[in-house]
Amino acid sequence: MLYRLLADLTAGVHFLFVAYVVFGGFLAWRRPRTIWLHLAAFAWGFSTILFGFDCPLTNLENWARHQAGDPGLPSTGFIAHYITGVLYPSDAVDLVRVLVAITVLVSWAGFWFRVSRRRYGRAAT
């Protein structure tokens, strides 16, 4: 029972991490110091897709599920198992990746605009 709970909690944290990778740049608009955390999270998330790095959250969930006697995630991983085909059709993966990249870039552009506006606004007064 504890291992299933750990696996479910890990999946929940994983969902939050994926959401942060996509939308965390917008949080930095209000909390500018968080941009470094978002850059690191994005770099890690992007690397797992681009280079195929193993995600420690996926490994933890698999371990907990195996300890509970349940099957682990398929080799395609967390996103393919829980998100692709559930939140968007399987044949839209490339479109979703482009939309995610655009969302992140918009959040970074907005962050840069807000920070530079603050910086130059203070210098003028």
Side-chain angles (χ1 to χ4, degrees):
M1 168 109 168
L2 282 175
Y3 289 116
R4 284 191 180 132
L5 178 62
L6 176 61
D8 292 343
L9 287 172
T10 303
V13 168
H14 212 157
F15 274 111
L16 291 173
F17 180 79
V18 170
Y20 184 70
V21 166
V22 178
F23 301 110
F26 294 107
L27 176 63
W29 291 16
R30 300 285 277 164
R31 306 261 188 249
R33 291 183 181 167
T34 65
I35 194 66
W36 300 109
L37 181 60
H38 185 257
L39 289 169
F42 178 79
W44 179 260
F46 186 70
S47 297
T48 62
I49 292 170
L50 189 63
F51 302 116
F53 292 152
D54 287 339
C55 178
L57 291 171
T58 301
N59 292 337
L60 177 60
E61 182 180 349
N62 277 333
W63 176 82
R65 293 209 182 279
H66 289 301
Q67 294 300 314
D70 295 336
L73 295 174
S75 62
T76 53
F78 176 86
I79 291 175
H81 181 70
Y82 288 115
I83 299 175
T84 304
V86 177
L87 296 180
Y88 55 85
S90 298
D91 60 352
V93 170
D94 292 333
L95 174 63
V96 169
R97 286 181 179 169
V98 167
L99 292 174
V100 165
I102 289 169
T103 302
V104 171
L105 290 174
V106 165
S107 74
W108 289 350
F111 169 80
W112 177 82
F113 177 75
R114 290 176 66 96
V115 167
S116 64
R117 198 169 133 211
R118 285 182 193 162
R119 187 174 297 150
Y120 293 123
R122 287 185 186 154
T125 56

